[in-house]
Amino acid sequence: MNRTPRRTGGRTLLETAPDQLVWALYGRESFDVTGDAEQVTAQLSDMREYVTGIGGRIGREFPENNVSAFRRVQVMLPDGTYGYRVVRPDWDAMMTELRKGTYNSLCLPNIDRGMRDPRDLEDLIDLVEYYGVHVVGMTGNIDLTTDTGISAARHDVNQRNQESRNIARRMQGGNRRAAMKGRNHGGANRPFGWRKDRTGANKREAKHIRREIPRLLAGVRPATIAIEWNERGIPTVTGRGQWRAMTIVQIFTNPRLCGWKTYQDEILTDADGNPVEGVWEPIITEDEHLALVEAIRPSKPARKNRGRGHVMKYLLSPFIRCGKCNARMYGGVQYYHKKTGDPVVAYRCPAKGWGGCAGVTRLAAPIDAYVTELVLQEQSRIRLQRRKELPPWDREDELRDVTQQIQESTDAYKAKRISGSRYFALIEDLETDERQLKAEKRRHEAKRQTRATEIPDLRAEWNRPNFTLEQKHAAIAKSITAVIIHPAPHQGAKFAPDQITPIWNEDDE
């Protein structure tokens, strides 16, 4: 077979010798309910008989079951940006082998089975024009050697692409209508916390979820929960792999936990602006969900000294400041105790090249003990004040009015009672107000829930093994914003309370 095709008069000239044909056979089915690949198997069987009548030998068969030729996914492009492409591993592997010359002929059931993305068709046209690959289809008329045949193939693929878009649009509309009724949809795996029917709660997993709620609200990081669950051998939904921090975040911020229905990451609301409730059993309350979202994904940035971010090893690391230059200090081992061999930690001001003055170094233990006692006394005083439960959020009616205005404006635009210029200018302001009100509501509900789940006796909890360093950081942050450490009055001077200045938190929480 001639491997150098010649293009002349709008035609690619291929000199095919039947005995030299080495076939690649490709069969595909988009959706196989049973998973037995019956359709793909039948396609390949028919193609074997078809190419035998033409001549040559079969090099390899490429079955691709349950793979769409239309649906696109996000992929990284050579320039480092992201684009959307149809990804079919077996099709791509076959095209690579055809370009390498491993096979010189391709048989498809028809052009519809081969592709529904114009990009794939252009790649196939290049195979014919530049690599001399002989392409045939069992049904239809695939002739990529002539301009007329190429034009017909492009028209056919574009038509199939439009059909797939219409089907996808109808399915999306149907899925959204089902979601508005609170039904379950999508996903090969059940959500963590529910049984296989996705309706009843899995008692064991629900217990794990409920146990971690007060800890997350008290400041424990999702990464810590993931580490602990792995150590305790709590299985994932699939029973494979390890727990990750992002998985924990997704579980505990999922509106499904409180019974709310989402569609494409959006909480669905009814005509009155209330969240649509799913048909499954909720595991937590709505207030708990709002509090978790605010604690894990706050609507406004938390202060850096709240202990969020990377893991810190020492008690006052998020809070300590140098009394000479006001730089953030850091903790580290100063030396090891001669008798016990235990590390002795000190708080240091960084060197001048690292943003500090290197003028203050103090042992951490007495400062930790003093600040801990200050915090425990402060929290005990607050506890004895019998703090009243926060009242419900008082702007609920305002949020409901804004939501109703958005719906009424949208209805008026659809009915062509207002112009697009007026509608989009109005809706932008209304949606901004809605976002701000919802964020304020989440913060308020988070405060209510935090008060409801506060540790009753911080002093009793402080030294318990399961009271993590992150929880201590969060407890300190409720009372203290910063701790300024002043230089020692002379070398070897013992710690005295007047050598540090605590900056008390003025927030109501």
Side-chain angles (χ1 to χ4, degrees):
M1 182 175 181
N2 186 0
R3 298 302 299 165
T4 307
R6 185 161 56 91
R7 187 80 179 164
T8 179
R11 176 185 292 274
T12 301
L13 302 180
L14 297 178
E15 297 179 6
T16 59
D19 60 334
Q20 295 183 18
L21 296 176
V22 183
W23 291 96
L25 310 184
Y26 179 81
R28 183 188 66 82
E29 183 65 24
S30 298
F31 185 61
D32 182 4
V33 178
T34 61
D36 57 9
E38 182 179 353
Q39 290 293 328
V40 173
T41 301
Q43 292 171 16
L44 293 172
S45 177
D46 292 341
M47 282 188 287
R48 289 189 208 108
E49 183 178 353
Y50 182 77
V51 300
T52 299
I54 298 175
R57 63 182 177 86
I58 297 174
R60 182 179 169 186
E61 298 177 357
F62 292 85
E64 201 150 39
N65 196 41
N66 264 332
V67 176
S68 172
F70 169 74
R71 189 178 299 111
R72 301 179 183 185
V73 297
Q74 188 183 65
V75 298
M76 179 177 285
L77 302 178
D79 61 0
T81 62
Y82 287 90
Y84 290 85
R85 299 288 186 269
V86 175
V87 176
R88 291 186 287 166
D90 291 300
W91 171 269
D92 295 336
M94 181 189 68
M95 295 292 285
T96 298
E97 294 302 318
L98 287 167
R99 284 191 289 267
K100 288 180 178 179
T102 307
Y103 319 110
N104 55 32
S105 305
L106 170 63
C107 181
L108 304 169
N110 52 54
I111 200 168
D112 179 43
R113 293 298 92 194
M115 68 219 72
R116 291 200 171 198
D117 184 356
R119 285 191 185 92
D120 289 340
L121 175 61
E122 297 304 317
D123 289 340
L124 196 59
I125 293 171
D126 289 344
L127 276 181
V128 176
E129 290 191 359
Y130 299 107
Y131 295 87
V133 174
H134 182 47
V135 179
V136 299
M138 288 194 306
T139 61
N141 182 20
I142 302 178
D143 181 8
L144 301 182
T145 63
T146 66
D147 289 347
T148 302
I150 290 172
S151 178
R154 285 171 174 160
H155 175 76
D156 198 4
V157 169
N158 286 332
Q159 186 178 21
R160 298 292 187 270
N161 184 273
Q162 185 60 50
E163 290 176 0
S164 294
R165 288 183 178 275
N166 293 339
I167 293 172
R169 185 179 64 253
R170 290 194 296 269
M171 290 181 64
Q172 188 177 43
N175 289 339
R176 186 176 182 86
R177 286 190 294 273
M180 288 297 294
K181 296 179 181 179
R183 298 175 186 169
N184 286 300
H185 72 279
N189 299 319
R190 64 175 178 82
F192 185 81
W194 284 270
R195 298 194 297 265
K196 289 183 180 180
D197 61 6
R198 303 174 186 240
T199 302
N202 181 309
K203 293 183 179 180
R204 181 177 298 177
E205 293 177 353
K207 184 178 179 180
H208 293 319
I209 291 173
R210 293 191 187 100
R211 183 181 56 248
E212 305 300 351
I213 291 174
R215 300 183 68 219
L216 286 166
L217 294 178
V220 175
R221 299 167 67 250
T224 300
I225 303 294
I227 292 171
E228 293 177 352
W229 282 17
N230 288 327
E231 291 175 348
R232 290 164 53 194
I234 296 176
T236 62
V237 171
T238 62
R240 303 185 300 272
Q242 298 286 304
W243 290 105
R244 306 292 182 189
M246 184 51 65
T247 309
I248 299 297
V249 170
Q250 291 169 349
I251 288 174
F252 284 91
T253 58
N254 189 350
R256 179 187 175 91
L257 282 178
C258 70
W260 288 350
K261 181 64 182 176
T262 61
Y263 183 71
Q264 295 185 343
D265 297 327
E266 171 195 358
I267 297 176
L268 297 177
T269 55
D270 58 22
D272 297 326
N274 300 315
V276 175
E277 295 184 358
V279 297
W280 55 85
E281 178 183 352
I283 294 176
I284 66 176
T285 66
E286 295 179 4
D287 288 348
E288 286 174 330
H289 166 68
L290 294 172
L292 283 169
V293 172
E294 186 62 25
I296 299 173
R297 290 176 171 169
S299 56
K300 63 179 181 180
R303 289 201 299 268
K304 292 182 179 180
N305 61 356
R306 290 275 178 161
R308 303 175 190 266
H310 66 276
V311 178
M312 296 185 177
K313 296 172 61 177
Y314 305 108
L315 182 65
L316 298 182
S317 293
F319 308 95
I320 46 178
R321 291 279 182 174
C322 175
K324 290 184 67 176
C325 68
N326 201 39
R328 184 180 296 279
M329 301 177 73
Y330 68 96
V333 177
Q334 179 78 353
Y335 59 87
Y336 291 88
H337 198 280
K338 293 181 179 179
K339 294 184 178 180
T340 64
D342 294 334
V344 177
V345 177
Y347 293 133
R348 302 187 185 94
C349 180
K352 292 182 179 180
W354 294 89
C357 65
V360 177
T361 300
R362 305 302 303 272
L363 294 180
I367 299 176
D368 288 350
Y370 180 69
V371 172
T372 297
E373 186 59 31
L374 288 179
V375 171
L376 293 177
Q377 290 182 10
E378 171 69 8
Q379 292 297 319
S380 296
R381 180 184 63 80
I382 294 174
R383 180 168 170 261
L384 292 174
Q385 288 179 350
R386 293 185 179 180
R387 299 166 67 201
K388 296 181 180 179
E389 180 182 352
L390 282 177
W393 189 54
D394 59 2
R395 303 184 70 184
E396 193 70 57
D397 291 341
E398 187 176 345
L399 175 59
R400 189 179 299 108
D401 290 343
V402 170
T403 303
Q404 185 176 354
Q405 289 181 53
I406 292 175
Q407 184 62 48
E408 291 175 351
S409 300
T410 302
D411 292 342
Y413 172 67
K414 290 180 178 179
K416 298 183 179 181
R417 294 197 300 271
I418 60 174
S419 65
S421 59
R422 290 187 61 190
Y423 169 72
F424 288 109
L426 175 63
I427 204 69
E428 183 177 358
D429 293 338
L430 289 173
E431 288 180 341
T432 299
D433 292 342
E434 184 184 39
R435 283 193 300 270
Q436 292 174 348
L437 287 168
K438 286 183 176 179
E440 181 183 319
K441 179 180 180 179
R442 287 197 304 270
R443 290 193 294 270
H444 182 85
E445 295 299 336
K447 286 184 178 181
R448 291 188 69 196
Q449 190 62 33
T450 299
R451 288 193 176 186
T453 59
E454 278 184 327
I455 297 171
D457 188 352
L458 184 60
R459 188 180 294 276
E461 296 287 333
W462 193 265
N463 293 320
R464 290 187 179 180
N466 62 350
F467 195 68
T468 66
L469 182 61
E470 295 154 10
Q471 287 175 286
K472 293 179 180 179
H473 286 162
I476 293 172
K478 289 182 180 180
S479 297
I480 290 177
T481 300
V483 176
I484 300 174
I485 302 177
H486 301 288
H490 56 82
Q491 188 174 3
K494 293 184 177 181
F495 170 77
D498 60 356
Q499 295 166 12
I500 69 168
T501 303
I503 307 300
W504 295 96
N505 188 3
E506 296 180 357
D507 289 353
D508 60 353
E509 287 296 319

